[in-house]
């Protein structure tokens, strides 16, 4: 069972000399110069709080307690992570005199069951999720009726470039789930799924398809250790299978059949994918677990055969387990693919890369 936690960006052991080429993070609020990131991946923070006694940032090791900032005579707290951070996106917050607050310099992203500060450490391969001068698809919010929860629930739908102009063209659909502590905004905001799709389509590497993301929980779960023990899959399965799928097929240009549907998810979303695809094998033909556990041949036996089983994780997670699981599936006759993201852990660069590898394998026939 995968550990369903949100990575806070654990620092690595860095070089003795820190380069003073720091630049404002790309996720900063407009006009804010801090936090900053240098070419080695170190992160520097600066917060003005003259009446505050102590500030610690949860990003970085700092004796496993994050990065402690030092106060100067002008009331500014400044500090730099002890080592370079993993490339990619990280959540973090400030501990100000014992209280939890967000960094006023950064944009906020929903993770860890709250809106957190976010920072981006530029990745050497960031081009695949960069905003480019290519045709862009559309990400729209939908509200769909849910009789089982007696609410109007929200989802986001990515439609490829040209979708609105080609009324008669139908598309396959990937139902893509977020992780524990996140919500349906994660794959667009933190994951850049729409930009990954736009770039792959522009390069002719994939067959265009629709992506649907929705909130993967129906019961209120309090944050904290062991909180997921109270999570039940059945209510969400009802929302997804009986309410969202029919709504999407009725309101978008889709192929409403198993062979043109995929389900995938990161972390907790992988757990949901695993449980739902096994329980509803006639609904999806493509499965993807991104840092979200594995499938075994035994549990797939006597079920409609998946056209693809994709399993991935970061190299700092459990690559041996993923590779062994995929080898066992291949030996049993399944079309299974593994992907290991280099030098990443349970974090969004792992999952961005995983989507980039998964998308070209979907709906090939």
């Amino acid at each position: 069972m995968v550990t369903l936690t949100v990575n806070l960006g654990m620092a690595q052991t860095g070089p003795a000399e820190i380069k003073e080429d720091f630049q404002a993070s790309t996720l900063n609020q407009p006009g804010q110069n801090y936090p900053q990131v240098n070419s080695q991946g170190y992160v520097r923070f600066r917060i003005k709080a003259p009446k505050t006694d102590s500030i610690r940032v949860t990003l970085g090791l700092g004796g496993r307690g994050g990065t402690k900032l030092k106060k100067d005579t002008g009331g500014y707290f400044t500090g730099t992570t002890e080592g370079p951070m993993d490339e990619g996106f990280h959540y973090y917050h400030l501990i100000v005199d014992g209280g939890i607050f967000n960094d006023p310099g950064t944009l906020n992203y929903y993770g860890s069951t709250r809106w957190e500060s976010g920072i981006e450490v530029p990745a050497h391969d960031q081009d695949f999720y960069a905003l480019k001068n290519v045709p862009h698809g559309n990400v729209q919010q939908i509200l769909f009726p849910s009789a089982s929860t007696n609410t109007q629930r929200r989802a986001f739908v990515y439609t490829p470039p040209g979708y609105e102009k080609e009324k008669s063209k139908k598309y396959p659909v990937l139902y893509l789930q977020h992780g524990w502590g996140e919500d349906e905004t994660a794959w667009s905001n933190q994951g850049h799924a729409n930009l990954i799709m736009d770039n792959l389509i522009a390069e002719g590497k994939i067959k265009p398809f629709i992506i649907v993301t929705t909130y993967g929980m129906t019961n209120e779960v309090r944050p904290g250790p062991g909180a997921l023990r109270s999570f039940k899959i059945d209510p969400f399965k009802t929302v997804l299978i009986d309410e969202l799928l029919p709504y999407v097929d009725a309101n978008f240009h889709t192929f409403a059949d198993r062979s043109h549907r995929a389900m995938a998810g990161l972390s907790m979303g992988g757990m949901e994918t695993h449980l739902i695809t096994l329980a509803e094998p006639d609904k999806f033909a493509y499965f993807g677990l991104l840092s979200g556990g594995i499938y075994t041949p035994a549990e797939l036996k006597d079920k409609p055969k998946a056209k693809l089983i994709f399993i991935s994780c970061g190299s700092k997670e459990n690559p041996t387990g993923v590779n062994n699981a995929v080898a066992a599936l291949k030996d049993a006759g399944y079309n299974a693919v593994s992907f290991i993201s280099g030098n990443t852990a349970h974090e969004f660069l792992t999952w961005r890369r995983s989507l980039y590898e998964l998308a070209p394998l979907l709906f090939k026939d």
Side-chain angles (χ1 to χ4, degrees):
M1 183 70 172
V2 66
T3 301
L4 302 176
T5 57
V6 178
N7 179 57
L8 295 178
M10 302 306 287
Q12 307 163 353
T13 301
E17 184 177 346
I18 299 177
K19 293 183 179 180
E20 291 298 324
D21 57 356
F22 285 87
Q23 299 288 330
S25 167
T26 57
L27 304 186
N28 282 4
Q29 299 270 9
Q32 297 297 312
N33 291 324
Y34 287 88
Q36 298 182 344
V37 184
N38 78 351
S39 59
Q40 299 162 300
Y42 285 85
V43 182
R44 180 167 291 168
F45 305 91
R46 192 166 191 248
I47 310 289
K48 186 174 184 180
K51 296 183 179 180
T52 297
D53 293 324
S54 69
I55 299 179
R56 179 168 55 83
V57 182
T58 56
L59 194 69
L61 283 174
R64 297 285 174 183
T67 301
K68 188 174 182 179
L69 309 187
K70 295 182 179 179
K71 188 177 183 180
D72 63 21
T73 55
Y76 284 92
F77 286 78
T78 306
T80 304
T81 55
E82 290 185 354
M85 307 305 302
D86 287 347
E87 295 179 330
F89 174 87
H90 301 287
Y91 300 106
Y92 74 96
H93 56 258
L94 311 178
I95 307 297
V96 180
D97 289 345
I100 296 176
F101 298 90
N102 285 2
D103 188 336
T106 67
L107 299 174
N108 296 325
Y109 299 84
Y110 195 78
S112 307
T113 67
R114 66 182 299 272
W115 288 96
E116 291 268 54
S117 299
I119 195 163
E120 187 79 28
V121 177
H124 71 280
D125 58 345
Q126 63 186 343
D127 184 70
F128 75 89
Y129 56 86
L131 177 60
K132 301 179 182 179
N133 185 19
V134 300
H136 295 291
N138 181 47
V139 178
Q140 62 181 290
Q141 174 183 287
I142 63 170
L143 299 173
F144 64 97
S146 170
S148 67
T149 59
N150 195 31
T151 59
Q152 293 285 319
R153 296 181 66 87
R154 184 173 73 163
F156 286 92
V157 180
Y158 166 84
T159 51
Y163 172 87
E164 293 81 3
K165 297 179 180 179
E166 301 177 83
K167 302 294 184 182
S168 61
K169 185 175 180 179
K170 294 185 177 182
Y171 295 85
V173 184
L174 165 63
Y175 289 84
L176 187 61
Q177 288 304 119
H178 59 83
W180 163 246
E182 297 168 343
D183 67 7
E184 62 272 26
T185 64
W187 268 109
S188 294
N189 291 349
Q190 294 95 294
H192 302 313
N194 55 317
L195 300 181
I196 293 171
M197 290 291 293
D198 291 344
N199 294 338
L200 283 170
I201 293 170
E203 294 169 10
K205 293 182 177 179
I206 64 170
K207 179 182 291 188
F209 56 85
I210 293 168
I211 295 179
V212 179
T213 63
T214 194
Y215 186 52
M217 306 185 79
T218 59
N219 56 326
E220 293 296 327
V221 178
R222 294 181 180 275
L228 266 180
R229 293 172 188 164
S230 62
F231 174 71
K232 306 296 183 184
I233 191 65
D234 288 342
F236 175 64
K237 180 167 70 72
T238 297
V239 168
L240 181 71
I241 300 299
D242 298 338
E243 297 168 345
L244 180 56
L245 262 69
Y247 183 91
V248 170
D249 287 337
N251 290 276
F252 291 86
H253 311 150
T254 68
F255 290 105
D257 57 56
R258 175 182 184 268
S259 64
H260 292 92
R261 281 200 204 103
M263 185 174 182
L266 69 88
S267 193
M268 182 193 78
M271 177 190 74
E272 292 178 327
T273 298
H274 178 260
L275 293 173
I276 291 175
T277 52
L278 291 178
E280 301 283 345
D282 61 330
K283 295 297 192 293
F284 304 96
Y286 300 82
F287 309 164
L289 307 183
L290 320 182
S291 304
I294 63 170
Y295 289 98
T296 66
E299 63 192 358
L300 295 167
K301 187 179 179 181
D302 300 326
K303 297 182 183 295
K305 198 166 189 178
K307 293 188 175 185
L308 171 72
I309 300 174
F310 179 91
I311 306 178
S312 71
C313 73
S315 63
K316 298 180 182 181
E317 295 188 273
N318 184 24
T320 300
V322 165
N323 287 331
N324 288 345
V326 166
L329 290 169
K330 287 181 176 179
D331 288 343
Y334 292 93
N335 177 26
V337 175
S338 64
F339 168 71
I340 307 302
S341 170
N343 298 312
T344 58
H346 206 69
E347 53 197 286
F348 252 104
L349 187 53
T350 296
W351 306 320
R352 292 172 183 169
R353 288 171 175 170
S354 295
L355 178 60
Y356 179 75
E357 296 294 328
L358 170 62
L361 303 178
L362 296 176
F363 315 119
K364 295 181 70 172
D365 55 354

